[in-house]
């Protein structure tokens, strides 16, 4: 009996590192948020994905911006993303907002970094602004599988992307699973007490602007939610801090790479011809994770857990730096 | 019970010989699935026999199938993954199609066909894991990620070797692999788990495990110990050189680790293969490699692998038979 | 997964091969510390368990609610006397039912203290996990491990201070042939007899937390090699 490589489309081999997509549709959801629907350029099926996954759009040969997929991932006919127009320094969202149906788009296959906790008895989803996108994907999943969930959605008045869709999905504002609030204060008035009275076994998921994530997770920690119960996904680039020059030593051959104040560790390594895989180059995807063998690290990424940071075993060179003068990498 | 049939119907050419070097270390030895042109699933001339053996074991002991309500989505994910794999890798024997929320599956080897609604338990005669598990030769274990670790919460295992799936079900990856000599000191299993946690949906890796056992017994689980252990003990105590040559088998597990695409659970597939010592002796390169590895095996790893008594006998047998 | 025909190490617990193995699945008992919490629930099995739990809780912040529930020192199986009427019809006995009712009423932010003999505490921990608790939310205290050094067996041992319960102690052993666990009083590597099938089993160092039991490795008819 002979076997050959799978030919059926949609088989796992069909998943390649880069997907050739095309813009199939564009919808303006709010003043600042535009929804893109992307299909396979060859008209074929797209890889499935777990809820909370993100899709990296290669908007320049060396730049990938990731956006959460809002669908539920089962046999998607298209990938739907909602992009917030921001005044970010590198222009990725402006590029996304300029896309028209028929435009080709190269993308990195969906990556899962914000999954559902399968065993949780209840799922408490908290979304701020554009942070609704991965949680919309989660909500679809929970509706499909009949899980117990509640979704808190805070937004600026007049800027509630996906609100009607959510109301239909979550069964109405009162008594249903959606609790939507215009404005931060209104959200807190309801969410604050709710955080204090969830049953044991509830999982918390937070997505939105960094200050909002910090506030909600800090409150959860103040209420002694176990660390493993709290999951969050941060959007946008990490806050950058002061940059001092330092030395990076490569453990394999002792080579020393000088990192100046004007460049990241990743840029310095690349400049010196040291290959390090990278994707987002902004500390959110985890692709450039590099083992550290000596020296303390100034962590500036959004990937490593508290335990991983404390161990000192890892660094994300695209944003993080040496805490002192020197760091040694297992490269 | 004392089966001495041919090693493997596919012959020696297709046999997954597990030893790549003369010095053996307990490593994770993971590499991407399909790197050597292999398929993830295996359907050989022994397919019907193995499917029937699995059915026989499940009839006698349904507890070898363990489900978990929290992993419902992962069960459906597994069913779909394997149906697509089988139909893609063996299109002459299996067909799988989906359209408009309905699916159709044909297994021409078993002569069965089924139409069902993915996600709807009422549309299948049994749970999805059991439905597809009864149509593959591999053991299946589903691992859920939580608290920063992997947990073996569900599965269908009829061909375990030296362990009991019902005993370890619900335990974490670390707890299951805990008592391995040297490996934990080296952090091998911690790194293996970290690797698995970084797997992205759709990625698949492969590794090989090996052991020697006195007879060609598939269900070598601790659940069935009463059926094979007394004979194995008696054999080890009384075997002549001729017995060793005639009955000892190399047991290889071809394992695949897959991060499933929608549930993000990790699916562990284990395909068990046998090579008799007699057939092994006919391949000088393999014989020499086995002898070298066994000679160099540290005592505690040999003990862990149950080779304390067998090791010198196998070395002796192979050196004589292969003229080494 | 183990890949051994027979991987029970040779010799006694402190001999060479055994000592070299790292027992990551045998329960270890570091000195318990009280984590901060929004509330505490202590389930105490026996007087010693209650004494240890209250001692630990004495360090709690004053405004944090504390609930102490006293249980008998032994697990109440289905059919056992049930004066308080805790057992649910068709359930796993009074202890199991009472624990589930307590856990189901807990909120996030709780830390659950389980104190008593190791075999009972591990069973209670398994129930807690079924009810949704994570390891982080449980504080486990095995009263055998609490005795002072030099006291009579059983005692905890281990260089890193997080010892296991050594020597003869109340242990639950899993018989793979019966697929059931039974209570016995034995040390690791001792041979015990399964009441279900009369099989001779070695109390193995592999421990399953969901079963809350040590694996009973078939010993065979003769003296164990």
């Amino acid at each position: 009996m002979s076997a050959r490589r799978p030919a059926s489309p949609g088989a796992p081999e069909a998943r390649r590192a880069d997907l050739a997509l095309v813009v199939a549709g564009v919808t303006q959801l709010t003043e600042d948020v535009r929804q893109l629907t992307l299909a396979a350029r060859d008209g074929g099926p797209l890889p499935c994905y777990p809820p909370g996954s993100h899709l990296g759009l290669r908007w320049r040969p060396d730049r990938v911006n990731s956006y959460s997929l809002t669908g539920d991932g089962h046999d998607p006919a298209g990938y739907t993303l909602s992009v917030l127009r921001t005044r970010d320094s590198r222009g990725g969202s402006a590029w996304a907002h300029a896309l028209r149906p028929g435009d080709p788009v190269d993308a990195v296959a969906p990556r899962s970094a914000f999954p559902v906790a399968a065993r949780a008895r209840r799922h408490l989803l908290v979304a701020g602004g554009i942070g609704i996108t991965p949680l919309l994907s989660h909500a679809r999943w929970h509706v499909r599988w009949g899980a117990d969930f509640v979704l808190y959605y805070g937004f600026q008045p007049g800027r509630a992307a996906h609100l009607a869709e959510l109301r239909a999905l979550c069964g109405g504002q009162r008594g249903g699973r959606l609790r939507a609030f215009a404005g931060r204060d209104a959200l807190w008035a309801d969410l604050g007490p709710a955080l204090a009275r969830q049953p044991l076994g509830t999982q918390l998921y937070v997505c939105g602007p960094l200050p909002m994530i910090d506030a909600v997770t800090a409150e959860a920690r103040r209420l002694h939610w176990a660390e493993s119960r709290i999951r969050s996904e941060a959007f946008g680039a990490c806050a950058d801090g002061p940059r001092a020059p330092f030395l990076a030593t490569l453990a394999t051959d002792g080579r020393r790479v000088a990192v100046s104040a004007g460049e990241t560790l990743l840029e310095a390594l690349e400049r010196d011809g040291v290959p390090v895989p990278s994707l987002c180059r902004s500390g959110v995807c985890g692709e450039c994770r590099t083992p550290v063998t000596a020296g303390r690290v100034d962590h500036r990424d959004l990937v490593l857990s508290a335990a991983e940071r404390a161990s000192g075993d890892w660094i994300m060179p695209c944003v993080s730096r040496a805490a002192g003068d020197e760091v040694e990498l297992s490269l | 019970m004392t089966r001495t049939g041919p090693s493997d119907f596919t012959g020696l050419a297709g046999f997954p010989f597990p030893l790549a070097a003369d010095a053996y270390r307990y490593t994770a030895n993971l590499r991407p699935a399909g790197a050597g042109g292999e398929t993830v699933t295996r359907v050989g001339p022994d397919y019907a026999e193995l499917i029937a053996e699995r059915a026989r074991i499940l009839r006698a002991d349904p507890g070898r199938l363990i489900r978990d309500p929290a992993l419902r989505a992962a069960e459906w994910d597994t069913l779909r993954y394997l149906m697509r794999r089988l139909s893609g890798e063996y299109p002459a024997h299996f067909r799988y199609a989906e359209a408009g929320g309905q699916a159709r599956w044909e297994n021409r080897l078993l002569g069965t066909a089924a139409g069902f609604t993915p996600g709807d338990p009422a549309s299948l005669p049994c749970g999805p894991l059991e439905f597809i598990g009864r149509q593959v030769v591999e053991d299946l274990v589903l691992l859920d990620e939580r608290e920063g670790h992997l947990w073996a919460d569900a599965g269908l295992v009829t061909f375990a070797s030296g362990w009991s799936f019902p005993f370890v079900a619900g335990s974490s990856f670390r707890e299951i692999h805990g008592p391995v000599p040297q490996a934990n000191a080296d952090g091998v299993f911690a790194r293996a788990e970290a690797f698995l946690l970084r797997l992205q949906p759709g990625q698949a890796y492969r590794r090989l495990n090996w052991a020697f056992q006195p007879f060609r017994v598939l269900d070598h689980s601790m659940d069935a110990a009463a059926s094979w252990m007394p004979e194995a003990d008696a054999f080890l105590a009384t075997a002549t050189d001729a017995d060793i040559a005639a009955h000892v088998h190399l047991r290889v597990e071809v394992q695949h680790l897959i991060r499933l695409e929608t549930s993000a659970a990790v699916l562990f597939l284990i395909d068990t293969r046998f090579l008799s010592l007699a057939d092994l002796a006919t391949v000088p390169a393999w014989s020499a490699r086995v002898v070298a590895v066994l000679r160099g095996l540290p005592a505690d790893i040999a003990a862990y692998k149950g080779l304390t008594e067998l090791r010198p006998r196998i070395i002796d047998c192979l050196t004589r038979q292969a003229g080494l | 997964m183990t890949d051994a025909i027979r991987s029970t190490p040779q010799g006694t617990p402190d001999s060479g091969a055994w000592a070299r193995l790292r027992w990551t699945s045998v329960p270890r008992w570091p000195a318990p510390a009280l984590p901060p919490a929004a509330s505490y629930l202590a389930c105490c099995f026996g007087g010693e368990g209650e004494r240890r739990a209250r001692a630990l809780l004495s360090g709690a912040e004053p405004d944090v609610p504390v609930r102490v529930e006293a249980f008998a020192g032994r697990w109440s199986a289905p059919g056992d006397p049930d004066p308080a009427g805790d057992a649910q019809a068709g359930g796993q006995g009074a202890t199991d039912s009472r624990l589930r009712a307590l856990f189901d009423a807990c909120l996030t932010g709780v830390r659950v203290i389980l104190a008593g003999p190791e075999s009972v505490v591990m069973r209670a921990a398994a129930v807690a996990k079924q009810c949704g608790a994570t390891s982080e939310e449980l504080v486990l205290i095995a009263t055998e491990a609490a005795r002072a050094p030099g006291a009579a067996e059983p005692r905890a041992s281990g260089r890193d201070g997080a010892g296991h319960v050594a020597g003869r102690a109340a242990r639950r052993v899993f018989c793979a042939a019966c697929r059931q666990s039974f209570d016995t009083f034995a040390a690791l590597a001792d041979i015990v007899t399964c009441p279900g099938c009369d099989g001779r089993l070695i109390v193995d160092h592999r421990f399953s937390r969901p079963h809350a039991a040590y694996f009973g490795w078939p010993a065979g008819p003769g003296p164990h090699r």
Side-chain angles (χ1 to χ4, degrees), chain B residues 23-287:
Chain B
Y24 178 76
R25 288 187 311 113
Y26 207 101
T27 69
N29 71 77
L30 284 160
R31 65 170 190 170
E38 328 92 2
T39 54
V40 170
T41 57
R42 184 181 71 86
V43 178
D46 55 351
Y47 177 82
E49 181 198 340
L50 292 171
I51 295 299
E53 179 68 3
R54 168 159 290 172
R56 187 194 65 75
I57 293 168
L58 286 173
R59 197 158 45 241
D61 186 3
R64 306 286 187 99
L65 164 70
I66 290 174
R67 304 186 67 189
D68 188 329
L71 266 57
R72 275 181 305 140
E75 282 202 33
W76 285 101
D77 223 346
T78 300
L79 174 136
R80 182 195 230 192
Y81 178 86
L82 288 173
M83 285 184 174
R84 287 166 137 187
R85 271 289 175 182
L86 287 164
S87 59
E89 293 175 343
Y90 298 93
H93 304 306
F94 306 99
R95 194 166 171 277
Y96 179 67
E98 284 176 3
Q102 298 299 306
R104 181 150 183 86
W105 164 253
E106 285 176 33
N107 180 335
R108 298 193 186 121
L109 292 176
L110 297 182
T112 59
F116 61 95
T117 307
D120 179 7
S123 68
L124 280 179
C126 58
L129 185 67
E130 182 180 354
F131 187 80
I132 193 61
R134 285 178 177 273
Q135 301 185 50
V136 297
V137 306
E138 291 87 353
D139 285 325
L140 313 176
V141 181
L142 280 173
L143 297 134
D144 176 43
E145 177 180 343
R146 62 178 182 278
E147 301 179 54
H149 291 289
L150 288 168
W151 303 77
D153 287 337
L156 194 165
V157 179
T158 52
F159 307 135
S161 176
W163 54 289
S164 158
F165 177 56
F167 179 71
V168 305
S171 298
S172 74
F173 183 91
R174 300 261 192 114
E175 287 161 359
I176 293 169
H177 289 97
V180 177
Q182 297 184 9
N184 273 325
D186 293 346
V188 163
F189 281 104
R191 284 201 296 278
E193 187 184 31
F195 176 84
L196 291 174
L197 289 170
R198 281 197 300 275
L199 278 182
Q200 282 297 314
Q203 286 187 309
Y205 276 75
R206 179 181 185 262
R207 68 179 291 265
L208 302 181
N209 239 17
W210 62 271
F212 282 94
Q213 55 182 79
F215 301 111
R216 192 184 187 282
V217 173
L218 254 180
D219 181 7
H220 218 250
S221 64
M222 294 312 293
D223 312 288
S227 72
W228 59 263
M229 207 179 251
E231 282 94 338
D233 282 354
F235 180 90
L236 292 172
T238 64
T240 62
D241 291 343
D243 290 332
I244 296 288
H247 297 293
V248 171
H249 284 72
L250 169 68
R251 181 191 184 109
V252 177
E253 288 175 358
V254 180
Q255 303 177 347
H256 281 92
L257 293 127
I258 299 129
R259 179 75 93 161
L260 294 170
E261 280 192 316
T262 53
S263 62
V266 175
L267 170 64
F268 187 39
L269 295 176
I270 310 170
D271 176 29
T272 298
R273 313 286 298 280
F274 286 106
L275 184 66
S276 71
L277 213 52
D279 283 347
L280 174 62
T282 68
V283 184
W286 288 359
S287 283

Side-chain angles (χ1 to χ4, degrees), chain C residues 87-161:
Chain C
Q88 302 276 328
Q92 300 291 310
T95 307
D96 181 278
S97 300
R98 187 172 159 208
L99 284 172
R100 283 179 194 277
L102 288 168
F103 297 145
D104 284 345
C106 285
L107 302 178
T108 57
V110 72
R111 296 297 181 272
V112 176
I113 298 159
L114 303 172
E118 175 188 89
S119 62
V120 177
V121 164
M122 296 308 286
R123 289 184 83 170
V127 174
K129 289 209 158 181
Q130 285 170 26
C131 293
T134 64
S135 314
E136 206 178 332
E137 289 154 334
L138 300 178
V139 181
L140 307 184
I141 302 174
T143 46
E144 296 100 330
R147 298 195 192 175
E153 298 275 283
R155 53 165 168 75
S157 67
R159 273 193 311 253
D160 54 359

Side-chain angles (χ1 to χ4, degrees), chain B residues 26 61 63-64 147 151 161-164 166-167 169-171 174-179 181 184-185 209-214 220 222-223 225 228-229 233 268 300 303-306 309, chain C residues 1-10 17 20-25 129 133-136 174 176-177 179 204-211 213-221 225:
Chain B
Y26 207 101
D61 186 3
R64 306 286 187 99
E147 301 179 54
W151 303 77
S161 176
W163 54 289
S164 158
F167 179 71
S171 298
R174 300 261 192 114
E175 287 161 359
I176 293 169
H177 289 97
N184 273 325
N209 239 17
W210 62 271
F212 282 94
Q213 55 182 79
H220 218 250
M222 294 312 293
D223 312 288
W228 59 263
M229 207 179 251
D233 282 354
F268 187 39
D300 54 357
Y304 175 73
K305 283 178 142 331
E309 295 96 346
Chain C
M1 312 296 173
T2 63
D3 54 1
I5 298 169
R6 189 66 63 85
S7 57
T8 304
Q10 311 296 312
R20 276 200 297 278
L21 293 177
R22 301 288 291 274
W23 306 338
T24 59
S25 60
K129 289 209 158 181
T134 64
S135 314
E136 206 178 332
F174 179 86
R179 198 161 291 149
D204 194 80
H205 52 287
R206 288 172 185 80
F207 187 89
S208 158
R209 273 148 187 78
H211 287 282
Y214 294 87
F215 191 73
W217 197 278
R225 280 174 279 111

Side-chain angles (χ1 to χ4, degrees), chain A residues 1-320:
Chain A
M1 295 187 177
S2 67
R4 60 184 175 83
R5 288 178 188 278
S8 60
E13 277 67 25
R15 177 185 292 272
R16 301 176 300 280
D18 260 30
L19 300 175
L21 305 178
V22 63
V23 178
V26 172
T27 312
Q28 198 72 25
L29 295 182
T30 68
E31 187 185 323
D32 299 336
V33 177
R34 175 174 280 213
Q35 177 172 276
L36 303 174
T37 303
L38 304 171
R41 215 174 291 162
D42 61 5
L46 293 169
C48 306
Y49 57 87
S53 294
H54 57 261
L55 185 74
L57 303 187
R58 197 176 290 283
W59 62 281
R60 267 172 48 179
D62 61 340
R63 289 286 185 266
V64 172
N65 273 22
S66 292
Y67 300 99
S68 292
L69 289 157
T70 53
D72 83 347
H74 279 85
D75 251 348
Y79 286 154
T80 50
L81 331 161
S82 297
V83 182
L84 173 70
R85 173 98 188 228
T86 64
R87 282 185 310 266
D88 61 353
S89 55
R90 300 195 218 106
S93 73
W95 168 87
H97 272 246
L99 289 171
R100 296 281 176 269
D103 286 347
V105 172
D106 288 330
V108 180
R111 293 176 71 93
S112 171
F114 192 45
V116 169
R119 186 166 296 278
R121 310 180 97 198
R122 184 165 219 242
H123 306 268
L124 177 55
L125 284 49
V126 180
I130 196 62
I132 189 60
T133 45
L135 295 176
L136 171 52
S137 173
H138 277 228
R140 292 192 208 282
W141 174 272
H142 293 315
V143 168
R144 171 188 276 263
W145 292 104
D148 178 15
F149 78 98
V150 66
L151 171 56
Y152 281 80
Y153 181 20
F155 46 83
Q156 296 303 311
R159 294 173 176 208
H162 297 290
L163 187 57
E165 190 176 5
L166 281 165
R167 287 205 166 112
L169 183 67
C170 300
Q173 170 79 356
R174 293 198 187 287
R177 301 191 180 277
L178 173 68
R179 305 192 64 72
F181 302 90
R184 195 183 69 168
D185 293 343
L187 173 71
W188 268 111
D190 207 307
L191 177 62
L195 281 173
R197 58 165 191 266
Q198 296 302 309
L200 181 65
T202 304
Q203 185 79 24
L204 173 66
Y205 309 80
V206 191
C207 186
L210 265 174
M212 177 248 185
I213 292 178
D214 285 347
V216 175
T217 55
E219 179 64 4
R221 289 187 181 106
R222 194 187 69 80
L223 293 167
H224 302 293
W225 282 61
E227 197 58 41
S228 63
R229 300 272 187 212
I230 303 169
R231 290 192 182 178
S232 64
E233 181 161 78
F235 281 179
C238 317
D240 207 356
R243 294 177 169 196
F246 64 95
L247 214 55
T249 307
L250 307 185
T252 47
D253 58 8
R255 189 166 21 149
R256 311 187 95 183
V257 174
V259 184
S260 74
E263 61 187 345
T264 66
L265 172 57
L266 179 65
E267 287 163 347
L269 290 167
E270 289 171 340
R271 176 174 43 71
D272 271 21
V274 181
V276 175
S278 67
L279 252 187
C280 74
R281 306 179 77 88
S282 51
V284 294
C285 78
E287 187 72 16
C288 68
R289 178 193 287 253
T290 302
V292 174
T293 45
R296 290 183 311 111
V297 178
D298 174 10
H299 296 283
R300 302 183 180 191
D301 66 285
L302 295 170
V303 174
L304 296 177
S305 68
E308 286 171 316
R309 289 183 166 205
S311 74
D313 293 338
W314 304 103
I315 187 172
M316 300 297 175
C318 64
V319 289
S320 300

